[in-house]
Amino acid sequence: YVGAKRLEQSGSKVFATVLIERLWDLATMILALVLVAVLLDFNHDGVVNELAIPGGQIVRVDRLLHSAGWGGAMLLGGLVVFLAGLRLMPERVAGVIRFFCRPFPDRVQKKLLDLADEFALGVRTMKSGVQALLIFFWSLFIWFVVCLSFFLAFQAFHIELGLLPACMLLVMTSFSTAIPSPGYAGPLHLAVMVTLMFFAVDSSFAAAFAVVLHVMLVVPITVIGAVCVWREGVSLKAAREGAH
């Protein structure tokens, strides 16, 4: 809404760029997942490779992560093909999307096709492959900074873990935020605790770390966002009406 007002562009066009940016973020997270699955030493003494789940079953974390890594690599490849198709053969891709939308009710079909149109519009806003690579580079850089902040939080708590465990924590927390919850409360804490317990960190200590990390992730961006809303003179009511 703010971008559309400031740039004097249509809301749908600006929203399309947001969708593409989120796709690049997803690609970065998948890449981080693949790196963790490939590089993490599961035979290290500090790693708890077998976790008990309800029902008495034992889960091998290395096998679970390797399966997730392969699945993530395939999904990443599919995303690249999808975006390239939208850029180079938009009509054909639109035809394929319409074909797979046929089993759904008309209302759902319309929403899916509208979303596909937004994606296509976002892809067309990228003028070249170099621009796409630059977007991906900045996505990598931003998420590396977040990963580094997790590593520094480890140091503050005297948790002797390196950048790779911080990267794994980044992946776990990022995917946990996809679960609807108020301010990420609940799923994020669980993701942090499970990840740290995998590295043999005491559960009560992991719970305390999860609370601090949650505050670190949510409070600064909320405060900064509120200040920006005030400085831009944004009416939340008008923004809601513009979104509809």
Side-chain angles (χ1 to χ4, degrees), residues 90-209:
E91 294 300 326
R92 290 190 180 183
V93 174
V96 172
I97 294 173
R98 282 192 291 270
F99 174 79
F100 283 105
C101 287
R102 286 178 183 175
F104 297 102
D106 292 341
R107 182 169 57 87
V108 177
Q109 281 190 44
K110 185 178 184 305
K111 287 187 176 182
L112 291 174
L113 292 173
D114 287 345
L115 185 61
D117 288 340
E118 299 288 358
F119 272 120
L121 181 60
V123 171
R124 289 197 296 271
T125 62
M126 291 187 291
K127 298 176 182 178
S128 66
V130 173
Q131 193 177 53
L133 289 175
L134 281 174
I135 296 171
F136 187 49
F137 166 78
W138 281 113
S139 182
L140 286 172
F141 176 77
I142 291 168
W143 285 110
F144 174 76
V145 171
V146 178
C147 181
L148 186 61
S149 73
F150 286 7
F151 172 74
L152 294 175
F154 287 160
Q155 307 309 303
F157 272 75
H158 301 286
I159 299 174
E160 299 299 324
L161 294 175
L163 274 174
L164 198 58
C167 185
M168 180 175 176
L169 181 60
L170 173 65
V171 172
M172 294 288 286
T173 54
S174 296
F175 285 118
S176 73
T177 58
I179 302 173
S181 61
Y184 309 138
L188 185 141
H189 297 84
L190 180 61
V192 173
M193 291 180 63
V194 168
T195 304
L196 291 186
M197 289 168 65
F198 170 66
F199 291 103
V201 176
D202 180 74
S203 59
S204 58
F205 199 69
F209 182 87

Side-chain angles (χ1 to χ4, degrees), residues 15 17 33 36 41 46 56-57 60 67 71-72 100 102 118 122 161 211 213 235 237 240-241:
F15 180 64
T17 67
L33 173 62
V36 169
D41 183 6
Q57 294 182 329
R60 287 281 301 266
S67 298
F100 283 105
R102 286 178 183 175
E118 299 288 358
L161 294 175
V211 172
L213 192 69
S235 164
K237 180 180 178 181
R240 280 195 295 268
E241 290 174 354

Side-chain angles (χ1 to χ4, degrees), residues 30-31 33-38 62-76:
I30 293 173
L31 181 60
L33 173 62
V34 172
L35 288 176
V36 169
V38 171
D62 57 346
R63 294 175 182 172
L64 187 63
L65 272 180
H66 284 150
S67 298
W70 277 109
M74 294 172 64
L75 180 58
L76 181 58

Side-chain angles (χ1 to χ4, degrees), residues 6 22 25 46 52 69 105 122 134 178 180 217:
R6 176 170 285 219
R22 298 308 294 168
D25 279 348
L134 281 174
L217 289 173

